[in-house]
């Protein structure tokens, strides 16, 4: 549906910002808000469904590889 379509792009933007290291200055939810999420629990659910990881686990995995 349309909401899933939009959330896909929001999650991709969140992932890009995490990869850039934005989470050092902002919370994960703060990044999510800047990418269009209005609800914290929705963000965490959509992120987990899309990546299989929590935002923290994703950030640790990305920055461990670098």
């Amino acid at each position: 549906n349309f909401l899933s379509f939009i959330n896909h792009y929001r999650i991709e933007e969140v992932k890009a910002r995490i990869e850039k290291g934005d989470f050092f200055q902002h919370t994960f939810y703060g990044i999510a808000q800047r990418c269009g999420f209005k609800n914290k629990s929705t963000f965490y659910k959509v992120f987990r469904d899309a990546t299989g990881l929590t935002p923290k686990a994703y950030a640790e995995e990305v920055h461990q590889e670098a």
Side-chain angles (χ1 to χ4, degrees):
N1 66 22
F2 184 71
L3 191 55
S4 297
F5 176 76
I6 295 298
N7 283 340
H8 166 77
Y9 285 100
R10 289 176 176 164
I11 290 297
E12 290 303 313
E13 181 62 25
V14 170
K15 287 169 46 179
R17 290 180 184 215
I18 288 173
E19 290 166 10
K20 263 187 5 183
D22 283 3
F23 67 96
F24 292 118
Q25 292 87 21
H26 306 286
T27 64
F28 292 115
Y29 181 56
I31 294 170
Q33 286 179 309
R34 288 172 179 77
C35 295
F37 285 97
K38 304 289 184 225
N39 186 290
K40 188 175 184 177
S41 61
T42 300
F43 161 64
Y44 279 96
K45 180 188 181 316
V46 171
F47 192 93
R48 178 105 187 200
D49 289 347
T51 64
L53 300 167
T54 63
K56 182 178 178 181
Y58 181 81
E60 289 171 352
E61 185 175 290
V62 168
H63 288 281
Q64 188 176 43
E65 294 172 0

